[in-house]
């Protein structure tokens, strides 16, 4: 179970989110542009240090009045609309960035299987500056999944893809999310 009671005030904006959702499967957040969807995901990830309230994810307390789990210990995979790849790293180095920082691999996703499914085998030695928007999104998704997140946050991750690319990526996501069985926002 994921339980959240989050508050965050920024200039001209106030986020108040109070919800409880299953700790597995996909939860979609809908709303008009500017209503706080990205800010909510950032608060859940721990990327909004001013966020207050409470947040628990599958028995782990990440935020309370007395404690705040640091972002690096939350094990959250994030795929934003802008893929935010490291420009100085190759595609392969970007993919393995989070995995290298794991203390141990517990639910291994087979790296080569994921790379093949994402259709990025020919991109491994390239740098992000030479990739299309869709290629960057596929690399960002691969990086998030290979880091074995306890929660996957996706903020319009399909927006850079054409219809065919979206359909392929949705099928791939469905396959891998069933395999690793983590909650997705």
């Amino acid at each position: 179970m994921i339980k959240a009671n989050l508050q965050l005030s920024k200039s001209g904006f106030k986020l108040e989110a109070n919800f409880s959702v299953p700790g597995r499967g996909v939860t979609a957040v809908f709303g008009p542009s500017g209503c706080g969807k990205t800010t909510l995901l950032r608060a859940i990830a721990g990327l909004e240090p001013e966020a207050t309230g409470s947040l628990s994810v599958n028995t782990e307390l990440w935020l309370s009045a007395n404690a705040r789990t640091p972002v690096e210990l939350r094990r959250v995979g994030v795929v934003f609309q802008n893929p935010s790849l490291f420009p100085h790293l190759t595609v392969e180095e970007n993919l393995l960035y989070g995995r290298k920082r794991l203390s141990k691999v517990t639910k291994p996703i087979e790296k080569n299987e994921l790379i093949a499914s994402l259709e990025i085998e020919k991109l491994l030695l390239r740098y992000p500056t030479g990739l299309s928007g869709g290629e960057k999104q596929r690399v960002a998704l691969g990086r998030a999944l290979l880091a074995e997140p306890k929660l996957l946050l996706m903020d319009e991750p399909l927006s850079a893809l054409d219809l065919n690319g979206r359909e392929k990526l949705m099928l791939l996501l469905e396959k891998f999310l069933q395999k690793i069985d983590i909650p997705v926002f």
Side-chain angles (χ1 to χ4, degrees), residues 2-94:
I2 299 172
K3 295 180 182 180
N5 184 359
L6 298 169
Q7 299 83 40
L8 176 63
S9 291
K10 292 185 170 196
S11 62
F13 177 80
K14 185 172 184 175
L15 173 72
E16 291 185 7
N18 189 354
F19 60 87
S20 214
V21 296
R24 54 189 304 191
V26 177
T27 299
V29 179
F30 293 94
S33 181
C35 74
K37 299 179 300 290
T38 297
T39 303
L40 172 63
L41 295 182
R42 288 180 52 81
I44 292 170
L47 299 173
E48 293 288 351
E50 298 85 21
T52 60
S54 62
L55 174 65
S56 64
V57 177
N58 292 334
T59 72
E60 290 186 21
L61 184 62
W62 287 1
L63 178 64
S64 71
N66 304 322
R68 178 182 302 271
T69 301
V71 111
E72 64 274 11
L73 297 179
R74 292 186 185 195
R75 296 250 324 259
V76 175
V78 182
V79 183
F80 287 117
Q81 186 173 2
N82 176 356
S84 301
L85 299 176
F86 298 110
H88 63 289
L89 300 179
T90 65
V91 165
E92 185 169 22
E93 291 167 333
N94 266 285

